[in-house]
């Protein structure tokens, strides 16, 4: 980066947008992902320059950013093109709760807001601890979290952790360490055999259709299906590895697990 702290930042995913707003550093943002919806004013305040795996490179370059923030190998092609154009890029790759908190602290340091970022990360960590410490009746409800429906893909690391913090038991915990979605593909029969009490679904930007889940062969005997406990968790609050997942996303999981107490 030629400038420190950077004055013109483009964010290619939503979690860095929300974090910069929470840090009071939103004036540095000159372009955002089309998926950025938090806080609500971002859609009218900031020009949209990208989807998730595609971007309007000329539009980004015209904004003259001194830093572009990206996420994961899925944006590698965009990043490579920007680097070839001489743009400074930082790629985050957080896939668990510790990584999300580290992202907040790192981004804070990058915009010279280290103290504010530390306070934000600490407050979020305390919130997680407080919710995890709440007394819940035993046994823990068994939860299957579905990130995609064709093929079936189970929840990523931070989602699995949040289910447990909320008082649930992930029925496929061994998959949480797999970063790539293709490594979390599961067979319908494998899910059925776990007999989850609650099914939570967030089809990555596509509306969840509970009836499709109910009609899967052999799934009628699953307790979650039998008891009509199929709950959509909006992807904007759970599949973004940032503050949204630790606040509204976690609250939605708690409500799905404990509807009479949430």
């Amino acid at each position: 980066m030629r400038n420190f702290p950077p004055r013109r930042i483009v964010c290619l995913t939503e979690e860095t947008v929300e974090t910069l707003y929470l840090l009071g550093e939103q004036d540095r943002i000159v372009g955002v992902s089309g998926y950025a919806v938090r806080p609500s004013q971002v859609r009218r305040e900031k020009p949209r320059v990208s989807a998730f795996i595609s971007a309007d490179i000329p539009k980004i370059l015209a904004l003259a950013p001194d830093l572009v923030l990206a996420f994961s190998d899925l944006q590698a092609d965009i990043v490579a093109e920007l680097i070839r154009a001489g743009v400074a890029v930082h790629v985050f790759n957080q896939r668990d709760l510790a990584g999300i908190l580290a992202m907040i602290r790192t981004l804070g340091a990058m915009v010279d807001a280290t103290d504010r970022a530390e306070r934000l990360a600490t407050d979020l960590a305390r919130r997680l601890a407080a919710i995890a410490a709440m007394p819940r009746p035993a046994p823990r409800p068994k939860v299957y979290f579905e990130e995609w429906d064709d093929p079936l893909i189970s929840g990523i690391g931070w989602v699995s952790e949040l289910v447990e913090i909320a008082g649930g038991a992930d029925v496929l915990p061994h998959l949480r360490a797999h970063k790539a979605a293709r490594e979390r593909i599961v067979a319908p029969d494998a899910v059925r055999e776990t007999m989850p009490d609650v099914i939570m679904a967030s089809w990555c930007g596509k509306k969840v259709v509970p009836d499709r889940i109910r009609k899967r062969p052999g799934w009628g005997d699953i307790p979650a299906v039998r008891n009509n406990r199929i709950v959509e968790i909006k992807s904007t609050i759970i599949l973004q590895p940032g503050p949204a997942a630790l606040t509204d996303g976690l609250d939605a999981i708690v409500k799905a697990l404990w509807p009479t107490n949430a």
Side-chain angles (χ1 to χ4, degrees):
M1 281 185 292
R2 298 184 192 90
N3 300 313
F4 179 81
R7 296 190 297 267
R8 301 182 62 80
I9 299 175
V10 168
C11 300
L12 299 183
T13 53
E14 198 219 1
E15 64 279 351
T16 50
V17 174
E18 182 176 17
T19 300
L20 286 169
Y21 268 87
L22 289 171
L23 294 176
E25 298 292 338
Q26 64 270 18
D27 289 349
R28 300 183 188 277
I29 302 172
V30 295
V32 299
S33 160
Y35 292 105
V37 296
R38 294 171 63 93
S40 59
Q41 65 263 36
V42 70
R43 294 186 72 83
R44 63 177 182 272
E45 290 181 351
K46 307 296 181 182
R48 286 168 279 178
V49 300
S50 70
F52 187 63
I53 58 173
S54 63
D56 188 333
I57 300 296
K59 190 171 184 179
I60 292 174
L61 296 179
L63 291 170
D66 45 24
L67 178 63
V68 173
L69 299 173
F71 174 75
S72 88
D73 58 301
L74 295 174
Q75 296 192 320
D77 291 343
I78 303 171
V79 166
E81 195 166 348
L82 291 169
I83 290 171
R84 284 193 289 267
V87 178
V89 180
H90 183 90
V91 183
F92 287 103
N93 207 21
Q94 69 275 15
R95 309 295 178 111
D96 55 21
L97 295 182
I100 292 173
L101 296 175
M103 177 276 291
I104 291 169
R105 292 181 170 103
T106 300
L107 183 52
M110 295 173 81
V111 297
D112 200 22
T114 300
D115 290 347
R116 274 172 282 150
E118 181 59 39
R119 284 196 297 273
L120 175 59
T122 299
D123 287 347
L124 289 170
R126 286 174 178 159
R127 185 178 197 275
L128 296 178
I131 292 174
M134 293 182 68
R136 306 286 188 192
R140 286 174 170 248
K142 296 187 294 181
V143 178
Y144 165 58
F145 191 100
E146 185 169 286
E147 192 176 301
W148 192 246
D149 64 322
D150 186 21
L152 304 191
I153 298 175
S154 67
I156 199 168
W158 71 82
V159 175
S160 177
E161 290 180 272
L162 290 174
V163 165
E164 293 189 351
I165 285 173
D170 183 358
V171 296
L172 299 167
H174 59 287
L175 296 179
R176 74 164 60 165
H178 294 299
K179 296 180 179 180
R182 65 180 177 275
E183 297 175 328
R184 289 180 278 111
I185 293 174
V186 291
D189 283 350
V191 176
R192 182 179 55 79
E193 288 169 6
T194 68
M195 286 288 160
D197 301 300
V198 183
I199 294 173
M200 300 181 196
S202 185
W203 290 350
C204 207
K206 180 174 72 172
K207 184 172 177 57
V208 171
V209 183
D211 207 42
R212 289 187 198 165
I213 297 174
R214 292 188 195 98
K215 290 180 178 178
R216 290 173 185 165
W219 282 40
D221 291 334
I222 293 176
V225 175
R226 231 178 27 239
N227 299 320
N228 198 31
R229 297 193 69 184
I230 302 172
V231 182
E232 178 178 18
I233 308 290
K234 297 293 186 183
S235 58
T236 52
I237 61 171
I238 195 61
L239 296 185
Q240 301 283 0
L246 311 192
T247 53
D248 292 355
L250 176 55
D251 290 349
I253 292 173
V254 170
K255 184 176 181 181
L257 288 176
W258 316 104
T260 60
N261 298 323

